[in-house]
């Protein structure tokens, strides 16, 4: 049983910053990837950032240079630091984990409930 609980979402003005956290528990293997995904109203869910067990990261082109993903295995937590936020970053942000595929941002089978980010 795997649980993922996101926090840190909220409303912020364009240009501002937010830090999302995802606390995971249960049978999450240390060699699994962790990822952040988002879904805006009327749009499909898209990969934002993923990180593997060795610290290798991959970002969507739209967030490169603005967002940073990191993980703290000792705290069972993965973070997404979001800077220079834009209105187009408004979405429900999900944390996910599983075997994962860094290159394609796929193969994530466990998902949290999401945390809303609104940029105005």
């Amino acid at each position: 049983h795997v649980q993922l609980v996101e926090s840190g979402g909220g409303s912020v003005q364009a240009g501002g910053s937010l830090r999302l956290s995802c606390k995971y528990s249960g049978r999450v293997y240390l060699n699994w990837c962790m990822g952040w995904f988002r879904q805006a109203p009327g749009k499909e869910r898209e990969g934002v950032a993923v990180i593997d067990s060795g610290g290798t990261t991959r970002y969507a082109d739209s967030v490169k240079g603005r967002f940073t993903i990191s993980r703290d295995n000792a705290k069972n937590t993965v973070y997404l630091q979001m800077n220079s936020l834009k209105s187009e970053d408004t979405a429900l942000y999900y944390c996910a984990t599983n075997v994962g595929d860094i290159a394609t941002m796929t193969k994530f089978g466990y998902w949290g409930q999401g945390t809303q980010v609104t940029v105005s």
Side-chain angles (χ1 to χ4, degrees), residues 15-46:
S17 298
L18 282 174
R19 187 195 197 200
L20 305 184
S21 298
C22 172
K23 180 82 170 179
Y24 54 88
S25 61
R27 192 166 288 184
V28 177
Y29 294 96
L30 290 178
N31 64 346
W32 279 5
C33 290
M34 303 296 301
W36 285 97
F37 297 76
R38 68 186 181 187
Q39 187 167 21
K43 295 186 177 181
E44 292 187 355
R45 186 172 62 196
E46 63 174 350

Side-chain angles (χ1 to χ4, degrees):
H1 181 61
V2 173
Q3 277 195 316
L4 301 161
V5 180
E6 303 96 335
S7 61
S11 296
V12 64
Q13 291 188 334
S17 298
L18 282 174
R19 187 195 197 200
L20 305 184
S21 298
C22 172
K23 180 82 170 179
Y24 54 88
S25 61
R27 192 166 288 184
V28 177
Y29 294 96
L30 290 178
N31 64 346
W32 279 5
C33 290
M34 303 296 301
W36 285 97
F37 297 76
R38 68 186 181 187
Q39 187 167 21
K43 295 186 177 181
E44 292 187 355
R45 186 172 62 196
E46 63 174 350
V48 176
V50 296
I51 184 169
D52 69 10
S53 59
T56 300
T57 58
R58 178 177 172 86
Y59 296 91
D61 288 342
S62 59
V63 306
K64 280 181 182 177
R66 300 189 298 122
F67 290 11
T68 302
I69 187 171
S70 61
R71 64 191 292 174
D72 186 336
N73 292 333
K75 295 183 178 180
N76 287 1
T77 303
V78 61
Y79 304 98
L80 185 67
Q81 178 66 45
M82 305 186 295
N83 299 326
S84 303
L85 283 160
K86 305 175 181 180
S87 58
E88 50 263 46
D89 295 318
T90 295
L92 188 61
Y93 282 72
Y94 298 92
C95 175
T97 188
N98 211 172
V99 174
D101 186 310
I102 287 285
T104 61
M105 293 188 178
T106 59
K107 300 181 182 180
F108 287 84
Y110 298 97
W111 298 82
Q113 294 298 307
T115 185
Q116 179 68 36
V117 172
T118 303
V119 185
S120 60

